[in-house]
Structure formats: structure tokens, C-alpha cells
Amino acid sequence: MAEQASKKRILILLSAYNGEKYIGEQLDSLFALGGDFEFTIRVRDDGSSDSTPAILAAYGRERGVEVINGENVGFNASFFALMEGAEETYDYYALCDQDDVWLPGKFERAVPMLEKENAAQPLLYSGVLCLTGEDLSGKRTLPYPQRGPSFYNAMIQDICSGHTMVFNGALLRLLKGSYREGLMNYDHWIYLAASAFGKVIYDSEPQVLYRQHGENAVGAQDGFFKKTARRLRYLKQARGGAMARQLAAFYEAFGGSLREEYRQEISDFLAAGKNFCSRIKYACKSRAVRQSGAETLLFRLLYVFGKFKA
């Protein structure tokens, strides 16, 4: 009689900060996940000052949630602390925000897609977003990215939201020790690493309800006018510069291991930012792309005018 295959073991990593309003609903949705999996929920509290620690303590006592009480370091460093401390004995790892709701079939959807790939390479599962209102009403699924995931897209755009991510041990090992001060967003960093060294699997069906309530650490917007307003804010806040600094940090962390074409592209991107003529030259030949032609053109124009200097 053939031996029964063991259940896949998954470690869910959640960083919490003053999340008393929604975190219970999020945790309840994790316990309602379907599928034949063994999963552990580990939460790091990032120095909350509300009732979040008490809520987590109750879930620890009653539901076995593992709780780490930490000092406030911000969501990027907090998620990396969780990944640094993650044992490499699990089959897969999933990142979780404190204010969303996971749909029951998330792992049943993600794991088979990951299992089809070569586990020796870093693998990242992500997917489209389903935006909802504060009360989870008014669901709107954002469209599948026109170009799909790629390293050249990851250079200047993040299409992989952290709360959608499920990844394998090879990607976890790659990420450990890679945290840098210039890192802008932990999920963008993970997208960069997975697309540079492995494979990104992008799902066209949402598996998380992404609650929009005005207090999200990082929100999502759709529609022409909202996107335009967001780009203008990025311009005003020098977000292009932050993205360039993240690329410089990524080059510092991984430059010696990158494929030559990727290493050269980042090097050219950073070096050309120093003067106007070199920026024009780079913009004309740049392989960095956003998900639409109009957005790519906008990036090149902003780059030429020095908005992507590290």
C-alpha cells in the first residue's frame, strides 16, 4: 500500500501594529482556511499602544497563535524580522497584513501552482487584488497586469502585494540577511528578488479581500483620476528617488549574484541619473517597464527630468 503523502506545512507571518479594529477578523479568516494543510500562525507585534497585544495574547492562549512582542521598528523591518526568524522546515511561507480577510481557498489555489514548478529555484505566488470598503462591501477586482511579472517591471513597479504572497524555502533563504536601510517596501523587495533569481506565479483570481479604510500602511487605488493623483503625489514626495535608492540597496545586496543583463541594467539606471544628457540616453534604451505603455512613457519622462535619482 502506497504511503500517504504528508501534508504541506505552511508558516503564516503577520506583522501587527495598533490593529485592534480588524485583526481579530483577519485571524479568524486564517483559521477558516480550507485545504489539507498544516499551518502555523506567527504574529510579531510592532510595539502597539492599543489593545492589539491583549487581543493577540488571547489568540495565543485559545487558538495557539505564536506571538512575538517587539519594539516599534516599522512594517518593513518587522516583516524582515519575522522572515529572519522563520525556521527553514516549512514547505511554504505566507505573509499577512492585519486588516484584510483571506478567502478560504487561498492555499488550495496557491500551493498547486507552486508545486508545478522546480522547488530548487526561488518561487513566489502572488495575484490580483480585490478591493473592498471598510465593511468589506463594494468588492472590485483589479485587472490582471498587462505585461505580467518580470524583473524589468519589478525595477520600477510593484505588482505583488505582500498579503497575496506565498513562497518557498529557496526564496526565504535568498531573502534572509538581505535587509538594507534603502529598502522602500518589503513586498517590492521580495518581487525584485523572486523575479531576478527565480519565478513569479501571478494568479488572475483574488484570494484576499483588501480592505481600504484610509489607515492602510500601503493602499491601492484604481481608476484614471486616482492613479494620476497618486503619481503626482509620488512626484511631490520624491518617491521616484526612493525607488532608485531601493534599486541601489538591491544592487548592494545581490549585485554580485545577478545575471549580467540585470546587473548592467541597474548599473546603467543608477549611473545615468547624474546628468541630463545621460538620463535622456538611458531613457531611450531603458528596458525597465511599467504595466502599460502610457505608464512606461511617464516613467521615462520623469526619469529624464531627474525624478528617479538615488
Side-chain angles (χ1 to χ4, degrees), residues 271-291:
K274 297 175 182 178
N275 65 75
F276 185 72
C277 291
S278 62
R279 291 198 297 269
I280 292 176
K281 184 177 179 180
Y282 174 75
C284 290
K285 69 180 185 66
S286 173
R287 300 178 71 176
V289 294
R290 290 181 64 88
Q291 288 296 319

Side-chain angles (χ1 to χ4, degrees), residues 207-261:
Q207 301 302 317
V208 177
L209 301 181
Y210 187 17
R211 195 193 307 262
Q212 301 292 284
H213 51 74
E215 299 174 4
N216 307 68
V218 178
Q221 298 169 316
D222 61 345
F224 174 78
F225 293 107
K226 288 184 177 180
K227 285 182 178 178
T228 300
R230 182 176 59 184
R231 292 180 192 126
L232 290 174
R233 284 200 304 273
Y234 271 33
L235 179 59
K236 183 178 179 180
Q237 298 169 358
R239 296 287 285 181
M243 196 168 290
R245 289 190 292 276
Q246 177 166 263
L247 273 179
F250 187 80
Y251 189 88
E252 175 190 319
F254 295 112
S257 304
L258 285 170
R259 288 166 52 176
E260 176 58 30
E261 63 179 284

Side-chain angles (χ1 to χ4, degrees), residues 80 84 88 121-123 167-179 189-190 192-198 250 253-254 257:
F80 265 88
E84 291 289 345
E88 297 178 17
Q121 65 178 328
L123 297 174
F167 52 88
N168 69 350
L171 182 53
L172 178 73
R173 289 189 290 274
L174 181 67
L175 294 169
K176 283 189 173 185
S178 72
Y179 180 82
W189 187 269
I190 295 171
L192 272 165
S195 60
F197 295 101
F250 187 80
F254 295 112
S257 304

Side-chain angles (χ1 to χ4, degrees), residues 74-274:
F75 67 92
N76 283 321
S78 185
F79 269 113
F80 265 88
L82 282 164
M83 289 188 286
E84 291 289 345
E87 302 86 351
E88 297 178 17
T89 55
Y90 292 87
D91 297 292
Y92 296 106
Y93 303 83
L95 303 185
C96 184
D97 285 345
Q98 66 185 10
D99 46 10
D100 304 318
V101 169
W102 283 16
L103 299 178
K106 176 166 179 170
F107 289 149
E108 291 177 298
R109 182 80 177 175
V111 170
M113 291 184 176
L114 290 162
E115 290 284 293
K116 292 178 182 178
E117 306 296 334
N118 178 9
Q121 65 178 328
L123 297 174
L124 171 65
Y125 165 94
S126 184
V128 298
L129 301 178
C130 180
L131 309 184
T132 75
E134 188 171 0
D135 61 356
L136 301 181
S137 64
K139 299 178 179 64
R140 317 190 304 283
T141 299
L142 299 189
Y144 189 91
Q146 294 178 27
R147 300 179 188 270
S150 72
F151 174 76
Y152 293 114
N153 175 240
M155 285 180 61
I156 59 171
Q157 185 176 13
D158 183 14
I159 63 169
C160 296
S161 295
H163 64 249
T164 70
M165 291 180 168
V166 183
F167 52 88
N168 69 350
L171 182 53
L172 178 73
R173 289 189 290 274
L174 181 67
L175 294 169
K176 283 189 173 185
S178 72
Y179 180 82
R180 296 292 188 277
E181 287 299 322
L183 187 151
M184 183 172 69
N185 283 317
Y186 73 95
D187 49 8
H188 196 172
W189 187 269
I190 295 171
Y191 176 33
L192 272 165
S195 60
F197 295 101
K199 184 171 183 178
V200 179
I201 302 145
Y202 206 87
D203 197 347
S204 60
E205 295 186 15
Q207 301 302 317
V208 177
L209 301 181
Y210 187 17
R211 195 193 307 262
Q212 301 292 284
H213 51 74
E215 299 174 4
N216 307 68
V218 178
Q221 298 169 316
D222 61 345
F224 174 78
F225 293 107
K226 288 184 177 180
K227 285 182 178 178
T228 300
R230 182 176 59 184
R231 292 180 192 126
L232 290 174
R233 284 200 304 273
Y234 271 33
L235 179 59
K236 183 178 179 180
Q237 298 169 358
R239 296 287 285 181
M243 196 168 290
R245 289 190 292 276
Q246 177 166 263
L247 273 179
F250 187 80
Y251 189 88
E252 175 190 319
F254 295 112
S257 304
L258 285 170
R259 288 166 52 176
E260 176 58 30
E261 63 179 284
Y262 295 164
R263 183 166 57 249
Q264 190 63 53
E265 189 69 28
I266 295 178
S267 178
D268 291 347
F269 181 105
L270 297 172
K274 297 175 182 178

